[in-house]
Amino acid sequence: MPPIHPTRRRALLRAAGALALGRAALAQTPDTVFWAAAKQPGTVLLMRHAQTEPGIGDPPGLRLGDCSSQRNLSEAGRIQARAVGERFAAHAVAVAEVRTSAWCRCVDTAQLAFGRVQVWSPLNSFFNGQGDGESGATAVLAAARSWRGPGPLVLVTHQVNISRYTGEFTAMGELLAVRHEGGRLRLLARLPA
């Protein structure tokens, strides 16, 4: 067999390297990327509450602390929230702290998924003129900037809040792994519901 010309040899080596990188990238599914990010120090996990009864917003007469005046989790949402907790256990991700909006659908999601809840008003919805989205976002950014762990900080909140923090739209029950960088939250990975 004749010797391979040096130019051809380099081209073959580049192609072999690209193939190896392609195989490594295929092994990095969104699921594996999320769980790896969740285990990194300084990671914050934003979770939109689990599936609710049909509707947008809340009925007229909303009262925090009175779940009968709010749109709540559906049975599918309760199952979805428990499944999130099971996935965390299966991937050996020990959550350090869980903070949630005061809305019952967020409190219930956090309780069912993680077994503990700390209501934190900066996570409250500001949809349709409720609450103060600016001061809430400032508090969330400050918490993310100072978070070191060990383990992730989980923040269970509403779609409108998550969009304000990240510019991303989330489905009910979806989680985003983020990190504070340069005065904003940088998206690391998503975990679909």
Side-chain angles (χ1 to χ4, degrees):
M1 174 176 233
I4 299 175
H5 189 272
T7 303
R8 176 112 171 106
R9 180 187 314 270
R10 284 191 296 273
L12 289 171
L13 289 172
R14 279 194 303 273
L19 181 60
L21 285 174
R23 286 185 181 144
L26 287 175
Q28 292 293 314
T29 66
D31 199 58
T32 59
V33 172
F34 177 85
W35 295 115
K39 293 177 182 180
Q40 294 300 311
T43 297
V44 174
L45 303 177
L46 298 172
M47 181 178 186
R48 183 176 176 191
H49 59 76
Q51 188 72 41
T52 63
E53 296 296 338
I56 296 174
D58 288 284
L62 163 79
R63 291 177 310 282
L64 292 180
D66 180 0
C67 295
S68 69
S69 72
Q70 301 175 32
R71 185 168 49 96
N72 293 298
L73 294 184
S74 63
E75 185 54 35
R78 293 180 169 289
I79 292 167
Q80 185 182 51
R82 285 186 203 98
V84 166
E86 292 167 4
R87 291 171 83 181
F88 272 75
H91 289 277
V93 175
V95 170
E97 191 174 321
V98 180
R99 299 181 194 176
T100 180
S101 159
W103 268 248
C104 294
R105 58 186 170 266
C106 292
V107 171
D108 292 346
T109 297
Q111 185 65 45
L112 291 166
F114 305 106
R116 62 187 190 275
V117 175
Q118 176 188 345
V119 173
W120 191 45
S121 63
L123 295 171
N124 287 352
S125 177
F126 58 89
F127 179 73
N128 211 18
Q130 303 166 357
D132 181 359
E134 185 62 34
S135 66
T138 299
V140 167
L141 285 172
R145 182 178 55 247
S146 65
W147 186 255
R148 299 291 174 262
L153 168 64
V154 176
L155 304 176
V156 182
T157 189
H158 309 267
Q159 182 274 318
V160 66
N161 296 54
I162 293 171
S163 290
R164 181 174 192 127
Y165 311 150
T166 65
E168 299 288 328
F169 183 86
T170 51
M172 289 187 217
E174 186 173 16
L175 287 110
L176 303 182
V178 298
R179 180 164 295 121
H180 184 277
E181 287 184 5
R184 65 181 191 86
L185 297 181
R186 182 173 69 88
L187 179 65
L188 304 173
R190 302 177 84 103
L191 184 67

